Amino acid sequence: MPVQCSMLRVLLIALAAPSSGALKLDSYEAPRKTSSQLSRRDIFTGVTAAAGAATPFLTPLTPAVRAAAKPEVSYEQTVAQPELLAGLAAAPVRAIIVTGANSGVGLAGAKLLTAAGHRVTLACRTQQKADAAAAKCLAYAATPGDKFYSARRPGGVAVGAVCDLASLASVRAFAASVKDGPLDTLVLNAGLAHGQTDKEPFRTADGFEETVGVNHLGHFLLANLLAPTLARSANGPRLVSTASPVHDPNSGGGDVGAPAGLGSLAGMAKEGAGFTMVDGGPYDPDKAYKDSKLCNMLFMAEAARRYAGKFTVNAFSPGLIADPDGFFRNQNRAFATVFNTITQVAGVGESNEFGGSGLAYM
C-alpha cells in the first residue's frame, strides 16, 4: 500500500480511539477492548508503522516510545484525568522543587503548581533557562484560566535556580543554597535519552556516561543532600520521581532490544567514573536509558524503606509524550515531529500538559 494511503488509514482508525485520560503510576495499564474495538496498542502499532514508513531514513524508536505499545498487568494505581487537578488549588500551600522545569512535563507541572498558589523552585541547567521558565509560570498564573485548568489561587511563586545534574559540583551548590529553607516536595523530573544512532557516550562534567549520570546519579546526590530538609517539613513531605515502565524487561518498550539490567555493576567496578555502561557492556543508548530508569526505581524502593515515617516516596509515569522540544529533543527531529503529530491525532500519546498535571498531582 502506498505510504500516503497507509498514513490516511491509520489516522482514520485513530479518530475512533480516544486516549484513556488517566495517569499511570509507574506502568502503562491498557483499557479492555471488545471484539469490535481497537485497543490503544492496536492503534499505536499502526501509527508507529505509518510514521516509520513516512520517514524511512529515521532512527529506530526509543524505549519510551515503545513502552506505550504493549499492555501489561499492573498493580500500580491509575488516576483518572478529572481527579488530577481537582484539589490542587485547595490543598495547603507547598514549597516545591522541580528539576528539569524549563521544558516538557517539568515546565507544564510548574506552571500548574504556580497557578494553584504553590511556591515553586525551577531547578534547571542554567540561570537563563530557569528564569525564562519561571517567567512563563508567573505569566500563566496571571491568566484567568483556560480549558485545561481554570482554577487560580493568588500568591503563587516561581523562582529559577541553577542545578545542572551533569555536574555534581552544581548539584552540591544548589542543595547548599536551599537546604535551610522550606521544602515540602522534591520532584526528580529532569531526564534525557540520547539518539539511537549515537556510537559513543556523552559525558558529564565528572566523566559519567551522561544518561545514567543525569537521570540517576545527579538526582541520587540531590535527594540525599536534601533528605534532612525534606524530613523537617510538617506539610506531608514527599519525594517524587518521574519514571518510565521501560525499567521492566517485561513491559512494552522494556522487552524490545537489550533489556534493562545492571549485572554486577562491572562497568562501574572496572572503569570507575569513566564507565560506559553500568553492567560493563558496549555503549547502547537505548539500554542506557532503560538502565537509568531501573536505577531510579531501585532508588525509590530503597528510599521508601529507608525514609519510612519521615516522608512519602512516589514514582509516576506521565505516559508517551513525543515532544521534539522536550524529552525527544535528542532524537532525530524529523521523526520526533512526525511521530508526535500522529500519536496526538491517534490518541495514544499524551501532552506535556497532561504529564504536568500528573506531576502536580503527585
Side-chain angles (χ1 to χ4, degrees):
M1 180 181 294
V3 170
Q4 294 88 343
C5 294
S6 178
M7 290 275 285
L8 178 60
R9 179 175 179 273
V10 168
L11 292 178
L12 289 174
I13 291 173
L15 293 177
S19 170
S20 63
L23 171 70
K24 299 76 156 178
L25 300 190
D26 176 46
S27 61
Y28 172 77
E29 186 171 291
R32 296 179 181 178
K33 66 172 181 175
T34 66
S35 58
S36 61
Q37 180 184 36
L38 289 173
S39 71
R40 283 162 61 86
R41 186 187 185 192
D42 295 331
I43 296 164
F44 179 90
T45 302
V47 167
T48 300
T55 52
F57 54 93
L58 300 178
T59 60
L61 297 180
T62 65
V65 173
R66 294 191 295 265
K70 180 180 179 180
E72 62 196 41
V73 175
S74 172
Y75 57 84
E76 283 84 2
Q77 182 182 359
T78 299
V79 182
Q81 170 65 39
E83 298 179 38
L84 294 178
L85 301 175
L88 196 60
V93 173
R94 301 179 71 83
I96 302 164
I97 293 173
V98 182
T99 67
N102 59 287
S103 65
V105 170
L107 176 59
K111 289 167 67 176
L112 292 168
L113 289 166
T114 305
H118 299 281
R119 300 190 296 270
V120 186
T121 298
L122 294 84
C124 307
R125 284 173 293 172
T126 68
Q127 191 67 55
Q128 181 180 9
K129 289 179 180 292
D131 290 344
K136 292 178 182 178
C137 291
L138 293 171
Y140 181 72
T143 67
D146 53 32
K147 291 182 179 180
F148 190 82
Y149 185 56
S150 60
R152 290 293 183 273
R153 177 168 56 179
V157 175
V159 177
V162 176
C163 182
D164 183 357
L165 291 160
S167 166
L168 298 186
S170 178
V171 173
R172 293 182 190 279
F174 171 70
S177 72
V178 298
K179 67 181 179 66
D180 295 324
L183 177 60
D184 301 312
T185 304
L186 173 60
V187 184
L188 309 178
N189 169 75
L192 60 84
H194 283 297
Q196 303 305 292
T197 58
D198 292 332
K199 303 301 183 184
E200 297 294 331
F202 293 81
R203 298 286 177 181
T204 69
D206 303 280
F208 306 133
E209 188 281 314
E210 191 174 45
T211 312
V212 171
V214 169
N215 295 2
H216 173 59
L217 295 175
H219 277 146
F220 179 85
L221 176 62
L222 179 63
N224 277 277
L225 291 174
L226 293 182
T229 304
L230 196 60
R232 288 199 300 266
S233 169
N235 193 17
R238 184 171 296 176
L239 176 65
V240 177
S241 176
T242 303
S244 169
V246 301
H247 74 273
D248 179 1
N250 294 318
S251 72
D255 65 352
V256 179
L262 309 180
S264 62
L265 309 183
M268 290 181 166
K270 293 178 181 179
E271 303 173 61
F275 71 91
T276 296
M277 297 291 289
V278 175
D279 64 0
Y283 182 59
D284 180 342
D286 175 37
K287 185 177 185 300
Y289 178 73
K290 295 173 186 172
D291 287 352
S292 75
K293 295 291 100 179
L294 176 57
C295 289
N296 289 163
M297 293 306 298
L298 292 173
F299 172 46
M300 290 293 99
E302 175 59 19
R305 184 193 69 80
R306 186 170 300 192
Y307 297 112
K310 296 181 179 180
F311 50 79
T312 300
V313 176
N314 293 114
F316 81 103
S317 171
L320 170 60
I321 303 174
D323 179 7
D325 295 314
F327 179 70
F328 271 48
R329 62 190 178 276
N330 292 321
Q331 307 304 319
N332 183 290
R333 187 168 185 85
F335 173 81
T337 301
V338 171
F339 190 81
N340 186 46
T341 300
I342 296 176
T343 56
Q344 291 299 313
V345 174
V348 295
E350 306 293 357
S351 65
N352 283 317
E353 289 72 23
F354 175 78
S357 67
L359 185 153
Y361 172 87
M362 298 300 290

